[in-house]
Amino acid sequence: MHAWRELFIGPVTLPSLDWDAVEQEEQAELAERLAGWQEKYPDVHVQRLVVRDGAARVLVKQSAHARLVVVGSHGRGSVAGLVLGSVGHSVLHRADCPVVIVRPDLGAREQ
């Protein structure tokens, strides 16, 4: 799932946006992020979902129909290993199924 909200769009710009074009850009972003994974793990069923809403809200709603929710964690900040992000925290406490929080591979980031 890829979720976005228009937090940084001014009130003058908001009404004039081409939401179809924005959604197409967000679809392309999701496709780019998932590129190669389906070929690497062909037995894993992936349903792509692009929504204009808060990530936590949508993940919790979708958890009612899921067997597992996997949430990534950016691992940013000096105490990143000790703190969950806001989305992970919210989903972990409200989801209707098991939740896995995935931390980035620090070795991969250094390369």
Side-chain angles (χ1 to χ4, degrees):
M1 187 217 32
H2 177 68
W4 87 95
R5 293 192 310 181
E6 52 282 334
L7 293 176
F8 302 108
I9 300 172
V12 174
T13 309
L14 190 61
S16 64
L17 277 178
D18 179 353
W19 289 112
D20 291 334
V22 172
E23 184 173 355
Q24 287 177 356
E25 289 173 16
E26 299 298 332
Q27 291 277 2
E29 174 74 21
L30 179 60
E32 183 178 317
R33 289 177 183 237
L34 294 177
W37 289 105
Q38 191 166 7
E39 292 79 20
K40 188 172 183 178
Y41 299 101
D43 295 334
V44 175
H45 172 72
V46 176
Q47 179 182 354
R48 295 178 183 198
L49 178 63
V50 174
V51 294
R52 185 175 57 158
D53 199 352
R57 179 185 356 264
V58 177
L59 285 169
V60 168
K61 183 178 177 183
Q62 292 294 317
S63 75
H65 311 289
R67 292 169 44 197
L68 176 69
V69 173
V70 180
V71 179
S73 174
H74 293 292
R76 296 182 180 142
S78 60
V79 291
L82 304 174
V83 180
L84 283 176
S86 60
V87 172
H89 184 269
S90 182
V91 173
L92 184 63
H93 290 284
R94 295 175 30 216
D96 291 325
C97 68
V99 176
V100 174
I101 308 292
V102 179
R103 304 283 301 172
D105 180 353
L106 296 178
R109 250 203 273 176
E110 294 172 2
Q111 296 176 1

